[in-house]
Amino acid sequence: MKVESITLHRVGMPLVRPFETSFGRETARDVLLVHLVSDTGEGWGECVAGSSPSYSSEYVDGCVQVIEHHLAPLLFRAADVSAGSLAALFTPVVGHRMAKAALEAAVLDAELRASGTSFARYLGAVRTEVDCGVSVGISTSIDDLLDEVQGYVDAGYRRIKLKIKPGWDLEPVRRVRERIGPDAALQVDANTAYSRRDIPHLGELDPANLLLIEQPFDEEDIASHVALAAAIETPVCLDESIVSVGVAIDAIERGATSIVNIKPGRVGGYLPAVAIHDACVERGIPVWCGGMLETGIGRAMNVALAALPGFTLPGDTSASDRYYAEDLTEPFVLVDGRLRVPDGPGSGVTVRTDLVRAWALAAPVLVR
Ligand code: OSB
Ligand code: MG
């Protein structure tokens, strides 16, 4: 396709409840959307970057800059753009995977809509619905946490993930385990809040019989994750560290991670995400689909990815109402703890452009 224009929309999405992690508390999401127009049709992509560089070095304002001044010009200069050609096309720009992923999503959406193919079929999905988990933020009290978790259990979620940090770990985990019972799927995510000297402390989570502990240490610190995995029974799962297929293979081979969280935005797009999935399947490593509080646009694509064969654990692919009272697309609704995989062309969902306009945080930026 020939890319004709790219419009960047900033949309403010209020959260149904604040979401707190070890790196901060959010009450609304500042979403960057990419609307791409080409000679063969249109596509939308969602950028997962947060408003501040606290989960990763990328953040929304930076993504706008790098798309407008560095990545979009590469697309306009190319005679023929396809999703498969983007990795090569984007090589002049180092890093900035979340920005690249947002453009890749828009290119893919346009390409697949034009050919009448769904994301699910194109990526290699083998399921028509996916098992869903939910990520539960750090709460104001253990009683509030137990109420929130109970609500998700009642809604049918098939796995609970608790955010933890030093001072909010052993006791909340113990109490939630006691509440949901010994067989319920439970895991924790530290978002890099611990350091190597906390290994004995993290070992005290073993009696909770968790599915996994996600990313306790720094993104660059593979070695401490290797040491942790050797010291405790709970499986270690990397999120922030896994930025490419090469890092994924290295971390697996070193014994740092026995389960991998795949987030397309973090790794530069859906095609790199599939490459990581394939590398994990080859090595017998289970994967699951992470989330970044996506609106229906990113959620639709994630649900399609989560339908690939290696995604054997429930993902953070929650229903739309986990975060948003009203979504930017038709809502994703939990049925028996699962979401249906969209099967229409492209992402399979329709963007509510009236809401994109109504909830705009800034004037759209047209790049051409
Ligand atoms: O570490 O998985 C994470 C949200 C923002 C940044 C990082 C993470 C998360 C989540 C929420 O855990 C996942 C979701 O429900 O979208
Ligand atoms: Mg995580």
Side-chain angles (χ1 to χ4, degrees):
M1 71 177 71
K2 184 83 190 115
V3 178
E4 292 172 351
S5 72
I6 288 170
T7 308
L8 303 179
H9 296 271
R10 293 281 287 268
V11 183
M13 300 276 291
L15 301 178
V16 293
R17 52 169 22 123
F19 185 64
E20 185 171 332
T21 63
S22 61
F23 60 79
R25 181 182 168 89
E26 285 181 280
T27 53
R29 192 171 162 236
D30 175 357
V31 191
L32 171 63
L33 299 177
V34 174
H35 181 215
L36 177 143
V37 177
S38 78
D39 59 342
T40 57
E42 303 177 17
W44 287 86
E46 174 171 347
C47 183
V48 302
S51 54
S52 66
S54 31
Y55 163 79
S56 77
S57 63
E58 290 190 83
Y59 65 110
V60 184
D61 289 324
C63 289
V64 170
Q65 278 279 319
V66 80
I67 290 174
E68 188 179 352
H69 299 293
H70 300 280
L71 294 171
L74 296 173
L75 290 180
F76 294 129
R77 226 174 286 149
D80 185 28
V81 169
S82 65
S85 69
L86 292 180
L89 198 62
F90 287 161
T91 46
V93 176
V94 175
H96 293 285
R97 294 181 173 90
M98 293 178 178
K100 290 175 179 174
L103 287 170
E104 189 223 49
V107 168
L108 260 180
D109 190 39
E111 195 169 300
L112 296 176
R113 280 177 196 272
S115 71
T117 312
S118 67
F119 257 74
R121 173 181 284 268
Y122 174 82
L123 297 176
V126 294
R127 285 183 283 270
T128 55
E129 44 189 27
V130 298
D131 288 355
C132 297
V134 60
S135 177
V136 186
I138 290 165
S139 201
T140 39
S141 70
I142 291 188
D143 283 339
D144 287 350
L145 175 71
L146 293 174
D147 285 349
E148 187 177 348
V149 167
Q150 190 62 54
Y152 295 133
V153 168
D154 294 345
Y157 283 102
R158 290 171 176 259
R159 178 274 272 156
I160 301 290
K161 158 169 142 181
L162 301 181
K163 290 292 189 180
I164 59 168
K165 65 175 183 182
W168 183 266
D169 48 25
L170 304 181
E171 189 59 11
V173 167
R174 193 185 66 76
R175 296 286 301 281
V176 168
R177 171 54 85 202
E178 188 180 87
R179 168 64 72 95
I180 67 180
D183 299 328
L186 180 63
Q187 64 192 53
V188 294
D189 185 0
N191 290 111
T192 77
Y194 295 88
S195 63
R196 196 166 180 142
R197 63 181 170 276
D198 295 315
I199 288 178
H201 177 73
L202 294 173
E204 292 181 50
L205 288 167
D206 280 345
N209 196 22
L210 303 175
L211 272 177
L212 58 91
I213 176 169
E214 188 178 342
Q215 196 77 40
F217 310 130
D218 282 350
E219 181 179 323
E220 296 85 355
D221 189 3
I222 301 295
S224 292
H225 290 98
V226 174
L228 177 69
I232 69 171
E233 282 165 29
T234 307
V236 177
C237 170
L238 293 178
D239 170 356
E240 284 88 331
S241 295
I242 306 294
V243 295
S244 66
V245 67
V247 171
I249 291 170
D250 180 51
I252 292 165
E253 288 180 351
R254 291 169 65 184
T257 191
S258 53
I259 298 171
V260 170
N261 167 332
I262 300 183
K263 287 178 183 167
R266 191 192 65 226
V267 303
Y270 288 88
L271 296 184
V274 170
I276 294 173
H277 161 272
D278 294 349
C280 290
V281 169
E282 233 171 83
R283 291 163 178 79
I285 298 291
V287 305
W288 55 281
C289 185
M292 294 290 284
L293 284 65
E294 283 87 351
T295 72
I297 299 168
R299 194 165 299 277
M301 300 174 187
N302 285 353
V303 167
L305 180 72
L308 266 64
F311 287 81
T312 52
L313 294 170
D316 282 345
T317 48
S318 308
S320 294
D321 69 2
R322 154 71 184 93
Y323 291 112
Y324 306 115
E326 205 173 356
D327 208 338
L328 294 179
T329 63
E330 49 276 49
F332 281 82
V333 178
L334 205 65
V335 178
D336 195 20
R338 300 191 174 97
L339 292 184
R340 195 185 68 79
V341 179
D343 55 8
S347 68
V349 291
T350 303
V351 178
R352 299 172 64 186
T353 50
D354 54 327
L355 293 184
V356 172
R357 265 193 305 275
W359 296 344
L361 293 173
V365 176
L366 174 67
V367 197
R368 63 194 330 158

